[in-house]
Amino acid sequence: MIPFTGESLFYLITATGILMTTRQAPQTSLRALFNLLRYARGYRRNIVLAALCSVLNKLFDIAPEILIGIAIDVVVNQEKSFVASLGFVSAKSQIVVLAVLTFLIWFGESLFQYLYLILWRNLAQRLQSDMRQDAYDHVQKLDMSFFESKSTGTLVSIMNDDVNQLERFLDGGANEIIQTMVAVVAVGSVFFVLSPSVAVLAFTPVPVILWGAFYFLRKATPLYADVRDKVGALAGRLSNNIGGIATIKSFTAETRESEQLRAASERYVQANRKAIAVSSAFVPVIRMAVLAGFLFTFIVGGFKALNGDLNVGAYGVLVFLTQRLLWPLTRLAETVDLFERAMASTRRILDLIHTPVQVRDEGTERFPGPVRGDISIDQVSFTYPGSNAGVHGLNLDIRAGSTVAFVGATGSGKSTLIKLLLRFYQPGQGTIRIDGLDITTVTLKTLRENIGLVSQDVFLFEGSIRENIAYGRPGASDADVIAAAKTSESWEFIERLPDGLDTLVGERGVKLSGGQRQRLSLARALLKDPAILVLDEATSAVDNETEAAIQRSLAHISHGRTVIVIAHRLSTIVAADCIYVIEQGQVVEQGNHQHLIDRQGNYWSQWQVQTGHA
């Protein structure tokens, strides 16, 4: 015999709920439900308690109909009633007993309703919060290639709207499943005890109702999947348009973008309309089945009572309980609607959580001492999926403390090399070593905390200047923040601001100029004090003053650290110890500025163009 534990009760309730709602549902919904239950194993105690309160509430809820029948029996039969057989002989004492029972039943129903509402809603809040957190934590581990193939709006929609959709189902739908199941079993049991023949007739519409629920569920599954896709596309468009509002305004494209948003919104409306049309048809169809069951009980039970084959009180119980038996099944329409929306959302959430991570943090090593910054790139190759772009068989040796530069046309592989160094991507072949240690054997935290990145596309977080500079070293003192700001030549403009370091930069730093944002990005990297500093096109989109400021900063910060500069402006790298010219993912020239000029090769040609001598 299998021991009946809390866990077995959890699975019993789960299995019964599945049978009630998804017995013939598409496999995708079943799979999503089982995956959700597997994810929620840690909440099984909460689920059991909430389900138990739902069961007890429903049992108390159907008890008043039974008391009404017993009351009728008391009035009609008095000393010969069912209550009299329990020792309460007088009709008045029987009424008092029924009144006390009524109070206790209503109290119990109210108590367990309060408890199941508290338990289910708290469970919904806890589960949705943890699921959103797990999704976000996993997204942070995913590779950069994932973000290049997914829109921000879609990801936000999954972690917000889809999680909220699941919460709405747990708030009400799960309780409806359990209480419908309890109503059918409990009321059906009473029916078969009082009159098996009437019970058979009363239960006749049940298969029709269940068939209708499953039929509409099958129809609704692809429709609600389409609804989730459309809302994700709509969220993506909203996110892109708000982020690109300056571009929209500059091209006076407000009307065009408004029309495109209206079209996306209309597609969402139409997808919902199709799903609503299917789910709304359920209640009218099932209502007639409920009517048939009620008429069977009303007519057949009435004839049996008139013939003396059925107690009048029992007939009253059957009539009142018929609707208790059948009418809750009509709410399967709403439950199915909530369930299918929730399962469509669950699939998207769990698919996101289970998206495989290509660049795994499997390293266990730490650098044995302070990182010097020696970098060795041995036969490294990497190509982006679906293209030949990338790097091919690169061999480089960068000495610790040196300043090196990479130049080349857009798409030649310069930034790809930096992404490989930071392990944003995994090389297809070859090895990258820092201080002789293979970077795949080092933890990602250890690797990246020793590399500072200043990119062309500066991202500042909404908050103060102080918070943005100290982002790489939370808790840094004001003295350290100011020192980093001075080294990056940011302090001069920060001092002129009314609130100084407490100045709010706005979303993505919109309140600052491009040059100011770039200098703060450099200060942020410097405060981190990395052994290796990477400037990826850091001066390509700034004014001459900012470029000169960054150049002066480099003269100070290059001492004692390895500096890697990717640049289009050759004037910014003339002092580099070594310059690598990259074409189509391979190094075609290397040397210092003068050496490359003397060779009159590719670098010399670019220099001639940029200095106006071509």
Coordinates of all heavy atoms in Angstrom, one line a residue, residues 77-116:
N77 N -43.0 15.5 8.3 CA -43.1 14.3 9.0 C -43.0 14.5 10.5 O -43.3 13.5 11.3 CB -42.0 13.3 8.5 CG -42.2 12.9 7.1 OD1 -43.4 12.6 6.7 ND2 -41.2 12.9 6.3
Q78 N -42.5 15.6 11.0 CA -42.3 15.9 12.4 C -41.7 14.8 13.2 O -40.5 14.5 13.1 CB -43.7 16.3 13.0 CG -44.3 17.6 12.3 CD -45.5 18.1 12.9 OE1 -45.9 17.8 14.0 NE2 -46.2 19.0 12.1
E79 N -42.5 14.1 14.1 CA -42.0 13.0 15.0 C -41.4 11.9 14.2 O -40.7 11.0 14.8 CB -43.0 12.6 16.0 CG -43.3 13.5 17.1 CD -44.3 14.6 16.6 OE1 -44.8 14.5 15.4 OE2 -44.6 15.5 17.4
K80 N -41.7 11.8 12.9 CA -41.2 10.6 12.1 C -40.1 11.1 11.2 O -39.7 10.3 10.3 CB -42.3 10.0 11.3 CG -43.5 9.4 12.1 CD -44.5 8.9 11.2 CE -45.7 8.3 12.1 NZ -46.8 7.7 11.3
S81 N -39.6 12.3 11.4 CA -38.5 12.8 10.5 C -37.2 12.1 10.7 O -37.0 11.4 11.7 CB -38.4 14.3 10.6 OG -37.9 14.6 11.9
F82 N -36.2 12.5 9.8 CA -34.9 11.9 10.0 C -34.2 12.5 11.3 O -33.6 11.7 12.0 CB -34.0 12.3 8.8 CG -32.6 12.1 8.9 CD1 -32.1 10.8 8.9 CD2 -31.7 13.2 9.2 CE1 -30.7 10.6 9.0 CE2 -30.3 12.9 9.3 CZ -29.9 11.6 9.3
V83 N -34.5 13.8 11.6 CA -33.9 14.3 12.8 C -34.4 13.7 14.0 O -33.7 13.5 15.0 CB -34.1 15.9 12.8 CG1 -33.5 16.5 14.0 CG2 -33.5 16.5 11.6
A84 N -35.7 13.3 14.0 CA -36.3 12.7 15.1 C -35.6 11.4 15.5 O -35.5 11.0 16.6 CB -37.8 12.4 14.9
S85 N -35.2 10.7 14.4 CA -34.5 9.4 14.6 C -33.1 9.6 15.4 O -32.6 8.6 15.8 CB -34.2 8.7 13.3 OG -33.3 9.4 12.5
L86 N -32.7 10.8 15.4 CA -31.4 11.1 16.1 C -31.6 11.4 17.6 O -30.7 11.8 18.3 CB -30.7 12.3 15.4 CG -30.3 12.1 13.9 CD1 -29.7 13.3 13.4 CD2 -29.4 10.9 13.8
G87 N -32.9 11.4 18.0 CA -33.2 11.6 19.5 C -33.9 13.0 19.8 O -34.2 13.2 20.9
F88 N -34.1 13.8 18.7 CA -34.8 15.1 18.9 C -36.3 14.9 18.5 O -36.6 14.9 17.3 CB -34.2 16.2 18.1 CG -32.7 16.4 18.5 CD1 -31.7 15.8 17.7 CD2 -32.3 17.2 19.5 CE1 -30.4 15.9 18.1 CE2 -31.0 17.4 19.8 CZ -30.0 16.8 19.1
V89 N -37.1 14.6 19.5 CA -38.5 14.1 19.2 C -39.4 15.2 18.7 O -40.1 15.1 17.7 CB -39.1 13.4 20.4 CG1 -40.5 12.9 20.1 CG2 -38.2 12.2 20.8
S90 N -39.4 16.3 19.5 CA -40.3 17.4 19.2 C -39.9 18.2 17.9 O -38.7 18.3 17.7 CB -40.5 18.4 20.3 OG -39.3 19.1 20.5
A91 N -40.9 18.7 17.1 CA -40.5 19.4 15.9 C -39.8 20.7 16.2 O -38.9 21.1 15.5 CB -41.8 19.7 15.2
K92 N -40.1 21.3 17.4 CA -39.4 22.6 17.7 C -37.9 22.3 18.0 O -37.1 23.1 17.6 CB -40.1 23.2 18.9 CG -41.5 23.8 18.6 CD -42.1 24.5 19.8 CE -43.4 25.1 19.5 NZ -44.0 25.8 20.6
S93 N -37.7 21.3 18.8 CA -36.3 21.0 19.1 C -35.5 20.6 17.8 O -34.3 20.9 17.6 CB -36.2 19.8 20.0 OG -36.7 18.6 19.5
Q94 N -36.2 20.0 16.8 CA -35.6 19.7 15.6 C -35.2 20.9 14.8 O -34.1 21.1 14.2 CB -36.5 18.8 14.7 CG -36.7 17.4 15.3 CD -37.8 16.6 14.5 OE1 -37.9 16.7 13.3 NE2 -38.5 15.8 15.2
I95 N -36.1 21.9 14.8 CA -35.9 23.2 14.1 C -34.7 23.9 14.8 O -33.8 24.5 14.1 CB -37.1 24.1 14.2 CG1 -38.3 23.5 13.4 CG2 -36.8 25.5 13.7 CD1 -38.0 23.4 11.9
V96 N -34.6 23.9 16.1 CA -33.5 24.5 16.8 C -32.2 23.8 16.4 O -31.2 24.5 16.2 CB -33.7 24.4 18.3 CG1 -32.4 24.9 19.1 CG2 -34.9 25.3 18.8
V97 N -32.2 22.5 16.4 CA -31.0 21.8 16.0 C -30.6 22.2 14.6 O -29.4 22.4 14.3 CB -31.2 20.3 16.0 CG1 -30.1 19.5 15.3 CG2 -31.4 19.8 17.5
L98 N -31.5 22.3 13.6 CA -31.2 22.7 12.3 C -30.7 24.1 12.2 O -29.8 24.4 11.4 CB -32.5 22.6 11.4 CG -33.0 21.1 11.1 CD1 -34.2 21.2 10.3 CD2 -31.9 20.3 10.4
A99 N -31.2 25.0 13.1 CA -30.7 26.4 13.1 C -29.3 26.4 13.6 O -28.5 27.2 13.0 CB -31.6 27.2 14.1
V100 N -29.0 25.6 14.6 CA -27.6 25.6 15.1 C -26.6 25.0 14.0 O -25.6 25.6 13.8 CB -27.5 24.7 16.4 CG1 -26.0 24.5 16.8 CG2 -28.2 25.4 17.5
L101 N -27.1 24.0 13.4 CA -26.3 23.4 12.3 C -26.1 24.4 11.1 O -25.0 24.5 10.5 CB -26.9 22.1 11.7 CG -26.9 20.9 12.7 CD1 -27.7 19.8 12.1 CD2 -25.4 20.5 12.9
T102 N -27.1 25.2 10.9 CA -27.0 26.2 9.8 C -26.0 27.2 10.1 O -25.2 27.6 9.3 CB -28.4 26.8 9.6 OG1 -29.4 25.9 9.2 CG2 -28.3 27.9 8.5
F103 N -26.0 27.7 11.4 CA -25.0 28.6 11.8 C -23.6 28.1 11.7 O -22.7 28.7 11.2 CB -25.3 29.1 13.3 CG -24.2 29.9 13.9 CD1 -24.1 31.3 13.6 CD2 -23.2 29.3 14.7 CE1 -23.1 32.0 14.1 CE2 -22.2 30.1 15.2 CZ -22.1 31.5 14.9
L104 N -23.4 26.8 12.2 CA -22.1 26.2 12.1 C -21.6 26.0 10.7 O -20.4 26.2 10.4 CB -22.1 24.9 12.9 CG -22.3 25.0 14.4 CD1 -22.4 23.6 15.0 CD2 -21.2 25.8 15.1
I105 N -22.5 25.6 9.8 CA -22.2 25.4 8.4 C -21.8 26.7 7.7 O -20.8 26.8 7.0 CB -23.4 24.7 7.7 CG1 -23.5 23.3 8.1 CG2 -23.2 24.8 6.2 CD1 -24.7 22.6 7.7
W106 N -22.6 27.8 8.0 CA -22.3 29.1 7.4 C -21.0 29.6 7.9 O -20.2 30.2 7.2 CB -23.4 30.1 7.6 CG -24.5 29.9 6.6 CD1 -25.4 28.8 6.5 CD2 -24.9 30.7 5.5 NE1 -26.3 28.9 5.5 CE2 -26.0 30.1 4.9 CE3 -24.4 32.0 5.1 CZ2 -26.6 30.7 3.8 CZ3 -25.1 32.6 4.0 CH2 -26.1 32.0 3.4
F107 N -20.7 29.4 9.2 CA -19.5 29.8 9.8 C -18.3 29.1 9.2 O -17.3 29.7 8.8 CB -19.5 29.6 11.3 CG -18.2 30.0 12.0 CD1 -17.9 31.3 12.3 CD2 -17.3 29.0 12.3 CE1 -16.7 31.6 12.9 CE2 -16.1 29.3 12.9 CZ -15.8 30.6 13.2
G108 N -18.5 27.8 9.1 CA -17.4 27.0 8.5 C -17.1 27.4 7.0 O -16.0 27.5 6.6
E109 N -18.2 27.6 6.3 CA -18.0 28.0 4.9 C -17.3 29.3 4.8 O -16.4 29.5 4.0 CB -19.4 28.2 4.2 CG -19.3 28.6 2.7 CD -20.7 28.9 2.1 OE1 -21.7 28.7 2.8 OE2 -20.7 29.3 1.0
S110 N -17.7 30.3 5.6 CA -17.0 31.6 5.6 C -15.5 31.5 6.0 O -14.6 32.1 5.4 CB -17.7 32.6 6.5 OG -19.1 32.7 6.1
L111 N -15.3 30.7 7.1 CA -13.9 30.5 7.6 C -13.0 29.9 6.5 O -11.9 30.5 6.2 CB -13.9 29.6 8.8 CG -12.5 29.2 9.3 CD1 -11.8 30.4 9.8 CD2 -12.7 28.2 10.4
F112 N -13.5 28.9 5.8 CA -12.6 28.2 4.9 C -12.5 29.0 3.6 O -11.5 28.9 2.8 CB -13.1 26.8 4.6 CG -12.7 25.9 5.8 CD1 -13.8 25.4 6.6 CD2 -11.4 25.5 6.1 CE1 -13.5 24.6 7.7 CE2 -11.1 24.7 7.2 CZ -12.1 24.2 8.0
Q113 N -13.5 29.8 3.3 CA -13.4 30.7 2.1 C -12.3 31.7 2.4 O -11.5 32.0 1.5 CB -14.7 31.4 1.8 CG -14.6 32.3 0.6 CD -16.0 32.9 0.3 OE1 -16.9 33.0 1.1 NE2 -16.1 33.4 -1.0
Y114 N -12.3 32.3 3.6 CA -11.3 33.2 3.9 C -9.9 32.6 3.8 O -9.0 33.2 3.3 CB -11.5 33.7 5.4 CG -10.4 34.5 5.9 CD1 -10.1 35.8 5.6 CD2 -9.5 33.9 6.9 CE1 -9.0 36.5 6.1 CE2 -8.4 34.6 7.4 CZ -8.2 35.9 7.0 OH -7.1 36.6 7.5
L115 N -9.8 31.4 4.4 CA -8.5 30.7 4.4 C -8.0 30.3 3.0 O -6.8 30.5 2.6 CB -8.6 29.4 5.2 CG -8.7 29.7 6.7 CD1 -8.9 28.3 7.5 CD2 -7.5 30.4 7.3
Y116 N -9.0 29.8 2.1 CA -8.5 29.4 0.8 C -8.2 30.7 -0.1 O -7.2 30.6 -0.9 CB -9.5 28.5 0.1 CG -10.6 29.1 -0.7 CD1 -10.4 29.9 -1.8 CD2 -11.9 28.8 -0.3 CE1 -11.5 30.4 -2.5 CE2 -13.0 29.3 -1.1 CZ -12.8 30.1 -2.2 OH -13.8 30.6 -2.9

